[in-house]
Amino acid sequence: MLRRDLGRGAKPGAVRANDDPKDAAIYVHVLGGDPTDDDRAALKRARRARVPIVAVVTGPRSDVSIPSVLATDVIQLEPGQGFPLEAIAGLMAARLGEDGAPLAGRVPVLRGAVCERLVAMFARRNGIIGAAVFLPGVDLPVLTLNEIRLLLRLEQAYGLEIDPRERLPEIVATLGAGVGLRAIARELLDLVPVAGWAVKGAVAYAGTRAIGEAAVRRLAAGVPGGH
């Protein structure tokens, strides 16, 4: 059932039924309770292959930990509860980080969670850079590069090719938005000189998030099945 739900609208071969971790982006393992020897063997194979693991427990289990899986990467279902697809997708997106973009391009069910994670991650990253860099103009190239990278990752999550030449209009728009936000930050620094680092961080965070959320709305409206 979980494979069917995750594979809804997915490209052929994007969601596999076996427990072979070779060439996998992430491994989702369903347990019926406490791990069996077969569970342990499958999880160990995934760990040795350095594949991120998410475990979903559908039956009662004791306090025994699941080998090779962090406690934060385990979803425990209540009796009679169906698979919480949104929670599973969110956990998969958290484990994958930027690597979730190409997978979301092939598995549309993951698209919303992956894009939300990407926007939050890049906004937080730019917020830290904006607050930490004190020399005027030094942060601009780094912040803008991150915003372009976010844009390309979001487009990849919607199944579009990452070709800067193809995406030139969006990149130019992102550059313009970034320059405008930095101008706002400079104006605010004149008004609040003491807490300038906080202002710069807040503007960088909010601006990057706004750019990302606008890109997601545009992509969702323009890509077939993007909603």
Side-chain angles (χ1 to χ4, degrees):
M1 289 177 61
L2 181 58
R3 185 173 70 249
R4 179 201 64 196
D5 290 344
L6 287 173
R8 194 176 301 123
K11 293 184 178 181
V15 180
R16 299 203 307 251
N18 58 51
D19 59 8
D20 182 1
K22 184 179 180 181
D23 299 324
I26 191 166
Y27 177 54
V28 181
H29 190 87
V30 180
L31 302 92
D34 284 338
T36 65
D37 290 341
D38 288 341
D39 292 324
R40 293 187 181 92
L43 292 167
K44 182 181 288 187
R45 283 194 296 272
R47 185 191 64 187
R48 286 178 174 173
R50 299 182 181 276
V51 175
I53 304 172
V54 169
V56 181
V57 183
T58 62
R61 72 183 181 99
S62 63
D63 292 332
V64 176
S65 63
I66 298 174
S68 306
V69 186
L70 297 174
T72 53
D73 296 335
V74 178
I75 293 178
Q76 174 78 53
L77 304 189
E78 298 296 328
Q81 179 185 1
F83 287 110
L85 196 58
E86 186 174 338
I88 294 171
L91 188 50
M92 292 173 69
R95 292 292 286 115
L96 286 164
E98 280 192 63
D99 293 334
L103 183 60
R106 304 182 67 209
V107 183
V109 168
L110 300 178
R111 194 165 285 160
V114 167
C115 288
E116 182 179 342
R117 173 65 57 168
L118 288 170
V119 171
M121 182 173 64
F122 277 93
R124 185 166 56 249
R125 187 178 299 170
N126 270 4
I128 293 171
I129 293 170
V133 178
F134 296 101
L135 295 177
V138 173
D139 58 345
L140 179 58
V142 180
L143 295 174
T144 304
L145 182 62
N146 277 338
E147 288 162 355
I148 292 173
R149 188 173 177 180
L150 168 61
L151 175 66
L152 294 176
R153 281 298 194 185
L154 292 173
E155 294 192 338
Q156 187 180 33
Y158 273 84
L160 302 177
E161 292 293 329
I162 297 186
D163 185 345
R165 294 169 299 180
E166 295 279 337
R167 310 267 74 86
L168 188 58
E170 292 92 339
I171 290 174
V172 171
T174 301
L175 286 170
V179 171
L181 289 167
R182 252 53 94 200
I184 293 173
R186 285 195 298 270
E187 293 292 331
L188 291 174
L189 284 175
D190 292 336
L191 298 175
V192 195
V194 176
W197 63 270
V199 171
K200 288 179 59 184
V203 171
Y205 174 88
T208 304
R209 176 170 282 279
I211 288 171
E213 290 174 350
V216 171
R217 287 194 295 270
R218 174 179 57 80
L219 289 164
V223 175
H227 292 282

